[in-house]
């Protein structure tokens, strides 16, 4: 049994090294993340539980992490029908970063988004899980009010003049996102893609977005 456990550990170690960079996430706009999630809440991390699997396997890293979070009803931004009446929730994620496992810090407050499967709640670091204090005021406004208004729109990143626009997207329901395509981009921090009275999606102009684009040398598409 000891020899088996050693061989298993060796195989897992090799796989871990080979897969260290296998978690590949893109950087969709926060609005896209919000709209694609089953639930979005602002919650405080109150407990972390590491699951190492069967004791006979003797694996030195957790296979799964379970986070117990606490939240207020007013901080449920999406998925209230899934969360029931409790003010606590267990959210599961992979125990390893190479499988996109998310890591939270105890007693800190996060915006946590994710999906539900068989009545269990899951997230990973390809979801949008920022620490709440790091959010711009416009992003806080987005998760409370604005992002949901734009969930019939799609934000598509497109760099350069020769934009590769997917045929699967309806141009009238798409906002083009030019620029650096990261979480510190002007559009990510201050942009809302909303439908007008005819259902055509556009970037809603605001002072912070306009000022940021002016500093960065960009323009609204």
């Amino acid at each position: 049994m000891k020899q088996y456990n050693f061989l298993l550990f060796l195989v897992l170690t090799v796989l871990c090294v080979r897969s260290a960079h296998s978690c590949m996430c893109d950087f969709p706009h926060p609005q896209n993340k919000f709209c694609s999630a089953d639930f979005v809440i602002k919650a405080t991390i109150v407990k972390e539980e590491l699951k190492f699997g069967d004791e006979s396997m003797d694996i030195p890293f957790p296979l799964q992490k379970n986070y117990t979070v606490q939240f207020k009803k007013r901080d449920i931004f999406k998925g209230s029908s899934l969360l029931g009446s409790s003010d606590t929730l267990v959210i599961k994620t992979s125990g390893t970063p190479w499988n996109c496992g998310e890591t939270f810090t105890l007693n800190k407050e996060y915006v946590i988004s994710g999906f539900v499967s068989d009545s269990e709640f899951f997230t990973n670091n390809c979801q949008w899980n920022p620490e709440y204090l790091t959010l711009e005021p416009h992003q806080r406004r987005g998760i409370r009010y604005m992002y949901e208004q734009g969930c019939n729109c799609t934000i598509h990143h497109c760099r350069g003049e020769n934009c590769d626009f997917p045929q699967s997207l309806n141009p009238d329901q798409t906002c083009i996102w030019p620029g650096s395509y990261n979480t510190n981009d002007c559009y990510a921090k201050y942009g809302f893609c909303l439908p007008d009275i005819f259902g055509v999606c556009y970037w809603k102009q605001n002072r912070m977005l306009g000022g940021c684009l002016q500093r960065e040398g960009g323009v609204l598409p």
Side-chain angles (χ1 to χ4, degrees):
M1 180 61 71
K2 288 184 178 180
Q3 185 178 8
Y4 170 79
N5 287 340
F6 173 77
L7 290 173
L8 178 60
F9 169 72
L10 185 62
V11 170
L12 288 171
T13 301
V14 171
L15 289 175
C16 291
V17 171
R18 293 182 61 184
S19 305
H21 301 288
S22 65
C23 179
M24 302 294 292
C25 302
D26 57 9
F27 295 97
H29 191 277
Q31 180 174 312
N32 281 1
K33 290 285 192 180
F34 179 96
C35 293
S36 64
D38 292 334
F39 69 93
V40 183
I41 59 175
K42 183 179 78 171
T44 301
I45 310 300
V46 296
K47 181 181 177 183
E48 179 188 56
E49 183 182 11
L50 305 181
K51 296 289 188 178
F52 287 87
D54 194 313
E55 293 181 0
S56 64
M57 297 176 68
D58 194 26
I59 299 175
F61 49 81
L63 299 179
Q64 180 175 291
K65 292 183 287 190
N66 296 345
Y67 288 98
T68 302
V69 305
Q70 191 167 35
F71 56 92
K72 296 180 174 66
K73 293 299 179 185
R74 67 172 181 266
D75 293 330
I76 300 174
F77 308 124
K78 189 177 183 184
S80 58
S81 63
L82 301 170
L83 293 162
S85 59
S86 176
D87 63 353
T88 62
L89 178 69
V90 175
I91 299 178
K92 300 182 178 183
T93 189
S94 172
T96 58
W98 50 85
N99 283 328
C100 298
E102 185 63 278
T103 298
F104 299 107
T105 301
L106 287 174
N107 302 317
K108 286 193 173 184
E109 195 171 49
Y110 294 85
V111 172
I112 303 176
S113 63
F115 56 95
V116 179
S117 178
D118 295 328
S119 299
E120 294 186 315
F121 292 77
F122 297 88
T123 193
N124 54 54
N125 63 16
C126 292
Q127 304 292 319
W128 192 49
N129 300 315
E131 189 178 346
Y132 186 71
L133 289 176
T134 67
L135 293 182
E136 295 287 340
H138 277 63
Q139 292 174 319
R140 297 183 187 188
R141 185 182 174 204
I143 58 177
R144 287 196 179 276
Y145 310 111
M146 303 299 289
Y147 291 158
E148 187 173 16
Q149 296 179 33
C151 281
N152 288 330
C153 301
T154 297
I155 299 172
H156 176 66
H157 181 257
C158 201
R159 182 180 299 169
E161 296 181 358
N162 298 320
C163 177
D164 183 16
F165 194 88
Q167 293 184 353
S168 59
L169 294 180
N170 182 343
D172 288 341
Q173 294 181 323
T174 303
C175 290
I176 298 299
W177 178 14
S180 55
Y181 194 50
N182 63 67
T183 55
N184 290 317
D185 179 84
C186 296
Y187 292 92
K189 292 192 292 186
Y190 308 117
F192 307 125
C193 175
L194 304 176
D196 63 16
I197 59 173
F198 302 105
V200 177
C201 296
Y202 71 105
W203 286 111
K204 182 175 177 61
Q205 296 189 38
N206 63 71
R207 181 174 56 85
M208 294 301 293
L209 176 59
C212 181
L213 290 173
Q214 187 175 21
R215 291 191 301 273
E216 299 295 328
V219 294
L220 278 172

